[in-house]
Amino acid sequence: MPGFRLLTHHVGKVLTVSTLIGITGGSLVLLQKNEWNISTLGLLRFGRAAKSVAVCVADYKWNLRGLDPKTDKYWKVKSQVGQHLGALEYLLPVEYVETMKVLHSDAPQSPKEDLFKVIKEDLGKDVDEIFTNFEDKPLGAASLAQVHKAKLKDTGTVVAVKVQHPRVKAHSVVDMATMELLVHLVSWIFPEFNLIWLAEETKKNFPIELDFYNEAKNCERMKELLSYCDYLKIPKVYWDFTTNRVLTMEYCEGAQVNDVEYIKDNNISVNEISEKLGELYSEMIFVHGYVHCDPHPGNVLVKNTPKGVQLVLLDHGLYQTLTDEFRLDYCKLWKAIIGTDMDRIKKYSERIGIGRLYPLFACMVTARSWSAISKGVDKLEFTKSEEEEIQNNVSSYLSEISEILNTVPRQMLLIFKTNDLLRGIETHLKTRAMASSFITMSRACLRSIFSHKRNKCQTWLCRLHTTIVEQYYLFMLSAYKLYLWFRETPLGHHLTWTQDATVIEFKLNSS
């Protein structure tokens, strides 16, 4: 195939040259639009990113020199070099997590004067014509925008005003081109790490996150879908003062969900927080197929109320809509995992697009070891030894993980991200060991599966039978949850429980 390789080589060169020309030309335009601020210079930003990538690639190549990629030694050395490739609290050392946490709500800030220009351009009025008491210190600053507390001048209503950093859109054009080029380059140098999916997903999702008008619509839709969750608070949108770059919302009290000191001082149960957060996202994923995909601690507030714990969900810029086919297959995969049905785990992994790597896929979905999945994740609590086992082994499977991420349907990628963020919160709250959290997921799975069955019924008798069976299994779930609670009481600890003598051995083997 020499002709094909030659053609591929020439196409690659054309793409590289075209990208560099685009970056150069775009740089001049962006400099002019941004008052010749050198930080917007495309070639400078490209150079910084390219330098970082070059250092990482050189580090890998030097340490892996002379090693055969087919040997265990190659992967062991690669594991040692690459243990910094993430920032997940339940997977990686705390030093990396602490370094990256600033991006949640304490990222570098834009001067208030620059934000005022954005408000003036988008709303057509000076800030003091719309707001009073526009506070200098932001409530939070992330990579795309920062939020300030203010009052509406006409009504005196306290609001939170989210304003996009003025040069984000200008930078995004250059940064996306840079990322795309460098990801292709790294994938060429290290074929076993195909990260093209990362560039594609970022390129698709980033413009959506930059559109605050779209975020406002997501906010309203989610409020309507989950109106029955009385513990959930979603801020009201003030449409008259909302544009693509400015979002004015109801100001909500509360502390970040990982603020352990606030939680302790206000006598809030971390188990209740974890359970409600799990229930909330189970409803989104399994029942509605419309998922808020950025539940990092800066976007989830917690507050104690007379009715119990209230969760406040912020930043509705990134959502994933699941197809009914994928949603039901994902439900049945979880149903099989909780029921330790290995044949069905394989079956529904294959339906989602995973073949021989289905055990690793199940581990990625649950963030549990294959040993725990085989014995029952709803029975075995997540232990320190299992956590260490996962941390020690994850870097050994980077190539296979990369293959899975490049193979699964794109809607699965944001589900992975959402699951990881939720587990990070659970890890910080020290509630990951709660086996009962799987019961909450099971309830949502069952409701979704039986709802689908009911919709396919042609007669009222079929619908009645389906509803009766559904209620039976929901009752069994409630009973099993009660058993798990009793097992942790002092009396429960004094009793001897065996696998065969359990009061209720719940299995999702039907339907």
Side-chain angles (χ1 to χ4, degrees):
M1 299 285 287
F4 178 76
R5 286 196 294 270
L6 182 61
L7 175 61
T8 304
H9 175 71
H10 285 305
V11 169
K13 288 178 68 176
V14 169
L15 285 173
T16 302
V17 172
S18 299
T19 302
L20 290 173
I21 291 174
I23 290 172
T24 305
S27 298
L28 296 175
V29 175
L30 295 175
L31 276 172
Q32 184 180 15
K33 285 186 176 180
N34 290 281
E35 301 174 356
W36 301 96
N37 186 311
I38 196 170
S39 68
T40 62
L41 186 60
L43 286 176
L44 179 62
R45 296 174 67 79
F46 174 80
R48 288 171 178 167
K51 177 184 175 183
S52 298
V53 170
V55 170
C56 291
V57 168
D59 187 25
Y60 274 101
K61 283 297 184 183
W62 175 258
N63 284 280
L64 298 172
R65 67 191 187 283
L67 297 178
D68 184 351
K70 297 179 181 179
T71 63
D72 291 338
K73 187 175 181 181
Y74 174 91
W75 289 102
K76 183 178 180 181
V77 173
K78 193 167 215 175
S79 168
Q80 293 169 347
V81 176
Q83 286 181 350
H84 67 286
L85 292 177
L88 298 177
E89 193 159 357
Y90 68 95
L91 286 180
L92 300 174
V94 68
E95 291 82 3
Y96 303 116
V97 179
E98 292 300 322
T99 300
M100 299 301 290
K101 275 183 179 178
V102 296
L103 297 179
H104 290 164
S105 58
D106 196 23
Q109 302 171 15
S110 291
K112 196 168 71 168
E113 293 72 23
D114 288 352
L115 300 181
F116 286 179
K117 288 181 182 178
V118 173
I119 293 173
K120 170 75 171 178
E121 290 170 6
D122 280 35
L123 297 180
K125 294 181 180 180
D126 290 325
V127 170
D128 56 10
E129 295 181 79
I130 305 171
F131 306 106
T132 60
N133 301 327
F134 197 100
E135 294 188 358
D136 291 336
K137 185 179 179 181
L139 297 170
S143 55
L144 301 185
Q146 61 194 57
V147 182
H148 289 258
K149 186 178 180 181
K151 281 186 180 181
L152 291 176
K153 191 171 184 178
D154 56 352
T155 63
T157 304
V158 179
V159 293
V161 187
K162 181 177 180 179
V163 187
Q164 196 171 110
H165 296 304
R167 297 184 181 91
V168 164
K169 284 189 178 179
H171 288 173
S172 68
V173 176
V174 172
D175 293 346
M176 283 309 309
T178 299
M179 179 183 181
E180 195 167 18
L181 176 63
L182 294 178
V183 161
H184 278 82
L185 179 63
V186 171
S187 296
W188 174 67
I189 297 173
F190 295 106
E192 65 272 28
F193 292 115
N194 190 339
L195 300 177
I196 306 301
W197 60 270
L198 178 60
E200 291 175 350
E201 283 301 293
T202 305
K203 190 174 182 179
K204 180 185 76 175
N205 292 324
F206 199 55
I208 296 173
E209 291 191 82
L210 288 174
D211 184 357
F212 289 177
Y213 194 80
N214 178 69
E215 178 178 343
K217 289 190 290 184
N218 289 338
C219 194
E220 299 260 299
R221 182 181 175 190
M222 183 53 65
K223 182 185 292 189
E224 182 178 349
L225 283 177
L226 296 179
S227 58
Y228 55 88
C229 295
D230 55 3
Y231 56 84
L232 174 64
K233 174 72 174 179
I234 295 179
K236 174 185 175 181
V237 175
Y238 291 89
W239 288 97
D240 290 342
F241 309 105
T242 293
T243 67
N244 289 338
R245 294 191 299 168
V246 180
L247 175 57
T248 304
M249 305 163 288
E250 172 187 6
Y251 173 74
C252 296
E253 300 278 357
Q256 286 190 186
V257 70
N258 63 345
D259 188 340
V260 178
E261 186 175 338
Y262 172 91
I263 291 170
K264 183 178 180 180
D265 290 344
N266 287 270
N267 297 316
I268 300 175
S269 166
V270 291
N271 289 340
E272 188 178 356
I273 293 173
S274 191
E275 186 171 339
K276 287 185 173 178
L277 197 57
E279 179 183 332
L280 178 63
Y281 273 85
S282 294
E283 292 292 307
M284 291 185 198
I285 295 171
F286 300 117
V287 178
H288 298 291
Y290 186 64
V291 190
H292 178 284
C293 291
D294 205 10
H296 67 67
N299 288 338
V300 183
L301 304 183
V302 61
K303 180 184 176 183
N304 208 359
T305 72
K307 295 182 179 180
V309 174
Q310 182 182 77
L311 300 179
V312 182
L313 195 59
L314 307 175
D315 197 344
H316 298 260
L318 185 59
Y319 270 77
Q320 177 67 65
T321 301
L322 309 180
T323 64
D324 285 343
E325 180 182 10
F326 174 86
R327 179 174 58 84
L328 288 167
D329 284 342
Y330 190 58
C331 278
K332 292 173 182 177
L333 173 65
W334 264 107
K335 173 175 171 286
I337 289 172
I338 297 173
T340 60
D341 188 331
M342 299 305 164
D343 290 336
R344 290 193 178 186
I345 291 176
K346 182 178 180 181
K347 173 183 176 180
Y348 289 106
S349 295
E350 288 175 345
R351 284 179 61 91
I352 290 175
I354 303 300
R356 64 183 178 83
L357 294 176
Y358 76 90
L360 178 59
F361 177 61
C363 293
M364 291 170 65
V365 166
T366 60
R368 299 293 299 269
S369 67
W370 182 245
S371 175
I373 292 172
S374 302
K375 295 174 182 176
V377 290
D378 62 326
K379 301 173 187 64
L380 295 180
E381 292 186 342
F382 186 77
T383 62
K384 186 67 177 177
S385 61
E386 185 181 355
E387 179 183 16
E388 291 172 354
E389 177 187 349
I390 293 172
Q391 288 179 340
N392 291 335
N393 290 337
V394 67
S395 55
S396 302
Y397 292 97
L398 287 178
S399 179
E400 290 81 2
I401 291 172
S402 177
E403 182 180 340
I404 288 175
L405 294 175
N406 202 51
T407 303
V408 293
R410 288 297 179 252
Q411 50 198 321
M412 187 69 223
L413 295 176
L414 285 179
I415 297 297
F416 273 140
K417 174 190 174 184
T418 302
N419 288 346
D420 287 338
L421 289 170
L422 290 173
R423 289 182 191 117
I425 292 173
E426 290 175 347
T427 299
H428 195 89
L429 297 178
K430 295 181 172 56
T431 58
R432 278 210 70 200
M434 290 173 58
S436 61
S437 62
F438 290 105
I439 306 303
T440 301
M441 298 180 69
S442 301
R443 185 178 297 278
C445 282
L446 282 174
R447 286 174 45 227
S448 180
I449 291 169
F450 279 106
S451 175
H452 177 68
K453 283 192 169 190
R454 203 160 25 244
N455 290 336
K456 292 173 65 178
C457 284
Q458 300 295 320
T459 66
W460 69 268
L461 192 59
C462 173
R463 288 190 290 272
L464 177 61
H465 176 263
T466 302
T467 300
I468 291 173
V469 174
E470 176 188 20
Q471 293 304 312
Y472 166 74
Y473 279 105
L474 290 175
F475 170 77
M476 292 294 288
L477 273 175
S478 298
Y480 186 50
K481 187 175 180 180
L482 181 63
Y483 153 68
L484 290 176
W485 169 83
F486 178 73
R487 193 176 63 179
E488 298 304 314
T489 63
L491 178 58
H493 278 300
H494 280 84
L495 297 176
T496 300
W497 303 95
T498 66
Q499 187 72 12
D500 297 326
T502 301
V503 174
I504 298 171
E505 181 67 21
F506 180 76
K507 291 271 190 179
L508 288 169
N509 287 330
S510 68
S511 71

